[in-house]
Amino acid sequence: WRPSRGAGVDGAEVDEILALAGVDEMTIPPPLLEILASRPATDVVHEVNAESEGATCIVPDFKFTEESYKMYWEADGCGMDKLNEGIAAFTAETKKLSDILKKKF
């Protein structure tokens, strides 16, 4: 778990987890799960509405199209670098696994 506000900010990790309540999946380390379990259930409030809030954060009538996605993606050098790193790491691990299986069988 890497909070976007950086390590060392008291409560940052739990605050971010609570802010992301409602996402489909999230990996949370056991120590943070223990902290969350000790807090009252009323602390968890689904605040994000992807259908309305995501679209109105830029322009109320903004439509996310393939063209606008490509424009934003091409402008995000860090995102492209991280995706490429992830693909390279996945490919390397897949090759290792393939080599192990070939030796076994």
Side-chain angles (χ1 to χ4, degrees):
W1 178 265
R2 295 182 297 181
S4 63
R5 286 184 272 168
V9 178
D10 282 346
E13 297 92 351
V14 174
D15 287 348
E16 284 200 23
I17 293 169
L18 292 172
L20 291 169
V23 299
D24 290 341
E25 294 181 11
M26 187 182 326
T27 302
I28 304 171
L32 293 178
L33 282 175
E34 290 173 11
I35 293 170
L36 288 167
S38 70
R39 295 181 67 159
T42 54
D43 283 358
V44 180
V45 178
H46 183 134
E47 297 179 0
V48 178
N49 181 339
E51 291 182 10
S52 64
E53 293 174 12
T56 59
C57 66
I58 298 172
V59 177
D61 60 348
F62 176 79
K63 298 291 183 220
F64 204 56
T65 64
E66 183 176 350
E67 182 181 338
S68 63
Y69 170 82
K70 285 180 180 179
M71 181 187 72
Y72 285 110
W73 178 246
E74 290 169 2
D76 185 1
C78 182
M80 293 175 81
D81 291 345
K82 288 297 178 186
L83 177 63
N84 289 331
E85 285 176 22
I87 290 171
F90 181 82
T91 302
E93 293 301 314
T94 301
K95 171 110 175 69
K96 287 179 192 176
L97 177 60
S98 177
D99 291 345
I100 291 169
L101 291 174
K102 284 177 185 176
K103 287 178 185 175
K104 279 194 163 250
F105 301 104

